Structures are given as structure tokens and as C-alpha cells.
Amino acid sequence: MLEINFHPFQNLETERLLLRRLNENDVNEIFALRSNPEIMKYIPRPLAKTKEDALEHLRMIEEKIETNTGINWGITIKGHNNIIGIIGHYRIQPENHRAEIGYMSLPKYNGKGYISEAIKVVVEYGFEHMKLHSIEAVIDPGNIASERVLQKNGFVKEAHILENELWDGKFWDTVIYSLLKKNFKK
């Protein structure tokens, strides 16, 4: 079984991005992400209705880092402190050496390659630092943009599971993409 340890917290860097630890100063951007119905339409979770909801989300992220059960980074463009999105490893399965990756970004930053760039460094962190064997992404089958960015980063479709998640009175399909460490290319 893996020993997961996110201490000390490690910022990640790419050519254009700095992925850093989130803090309460990010509440406005977290609120903008989690309250936007267009961003959240493929994520079966409640919309943030207040900044307190966003602060609660930040506290949950921090608790997962403190307990080594999940890690998220705020995605920033180098030279700018405001986050443009978040990305991280969720649902870590130490017994299976596997974790799920998740990400979201503010709409005005979509289509610029930022999420793809962030995925590369977060996947590398998962394989090199966390010693994962595989990383999965669970997406809504209608989220074509997410599907494309995963494929671009070497993820392959493992499964399309029909109506396996009940949210807000509707059963949702999920599609699972994954990447094995042996297939990861830096």
C-alpha cells in the first residue's frame, strides 16, 4: 500500500503556469467556478450560492491536504496571483496505487491549452511523487472538451457506465479515462 504524504506542500511549475496551494484569498475565483452553472453542468455537485459555500469548499480542500487524502492546486498564469482554475488528485486509492484527477477553469481561459499544461505536471506529480500506478478521470459523456484534453494527454477510455450516479433526481452516465504510468510520456 502507498504512503501518501503532501507535506511539505509542493508548488508545480510549467512553462506558463504556477500551480500553488489555495488559500482564503482565492474565495472569489472559487465562488466564480463553483457557482457558474455552465462550468458545473457536467459536475454532479451543488452550485455554490454564497461566498461562504466557496470558503467551505476551500476548507474541505485544505482538510484533504492535511490528512493526505487528496490534493488540489490553484492554477495561476506566471506573474499573476489570481487563480484561473483548480486541479488535483481525488479519491486516492492507496491500496490500488490509483487516484482520480479532476480540473476546472474559468471560461475565459478555456481553449488556450492551460488545462492540458496543468494536467501534464499534475500527472507527473502523481506518478513520480505519489508513486501511483494509474490515474483516472471520470467525466460526463457530454463533456467533449474534457474528453479531448484527456486524449491529448495520453488517457484512454476504459468504460462508459450507464446511469450509475444519481444527482438531483437524474441518473447520470459516467465515462472513465485512465493513464498507466508505463504509458506516461513527459
Side-chain angles (χ1 to χ4, degrees):
M1 177 142 43
L2 287 181
E3 290 281 331
I4 303 292
N5 186 358
F6 300 128
H7 308 285
F9 187 92
Q10 185 177 337
N11 289 338
L12 305 177
E13 206 170 321
T14 70
E15 183 180 332
R16 300 181 296 167
L17 304 173
L18 174 67
L19 281 60
R20 62 162 174 80
R21 194 167 193 161
L22 293 160
N23 61 62
E24 290 193 0
N25 294 327
D26 299 314
V27 68
N28 290 332
E29 290 83 6
I30 295 295
F31 181 69
L33 287 162
R34 303 286 302 186
S35 67
N36 184 321
E38 190 60 27
I39 295 171
M40 296 293 291
K41 78 177 175 183
Y42 297 120
I43 303 170
R45 302 289 178 268
L47 286 174
K49 295 188 182 348
T50 65
K51 288 206 178 149
E52 183 55 40
D53 291 343
L55 280 171
E56 186 58 36
H57 189 69
L58 280 166
R59 286 191 281 270
M60 181 267 303
I61 287 170
E62 187 60 27
E63 180 184 327
K64 288 186 181 302
I65 293 168
E66 288 303 318
T67 60
N68 295 309
T69 57
I71 187 167
N72 277 275
W73 292 267
I75 304 168
T76 66
I77 297 171
K78 284 183 178 175
H80 303 275
N81 196 43
N82 288 357
I83 65 166
I84 65 168
I86 57 176
I87 189 168
H89 290 286
Y90 308 83
R91 297 181 184 146
I92 299 169
Q93 303 170 33
E95 68 280 8
N96 295 319
H97 298 236
R98 188 170 174 103
E100 179 181 336
I101 191 171
Y103 43 84
M104 60 174 45
S105 63
L106 294 166
K108 73 180 192 177
Y109 298 101
N110 292 346
K112 296 175 174 27
Y114 294 130
I115 289 296
S116 187
E117 200 170 313
I119 286 173
K120 282 179 179 60
V121 73
V122 169
V123 165
E124 182 177 356
Y125 178 89
F127 289 139
E128 301 299 324
H129 179 79
M130 295 170 65
K131 305 299 184 201
L132 297 172
H133 174 73
S134 62
I135 298 172
E136 68 181 22
V138 180
I139 66 169
D140 184 286
N143 194 343
I144 304 305
S146 192
E147 183 177 50
R148 285 187 183 133
V149 79
L150 290 168
Q151 290 169 341
K152 180 179 177 183
N153 281 282
F155 283 74
V156 296
K157 188 175 186 176
E158 277 190 356
H160 184 140
I161 305 168
L162 300 174
E163 298 183 3
N164 68 310
E165 189 166 346
L166 177 63
W167 173 252
D168 202 23
K170 173 189 169 203
F171 285 97
W172 294 56
D173 288 7
T174 56
V175 175
I176 300 172
Y177 275 82
S178 73
L179 179 61
L180 298 175
K181 182 177 183 176
K182 67 183 179 184
N183 297 331
F184 173 63
K185 295 174 181 68
K186 287 186 185 181

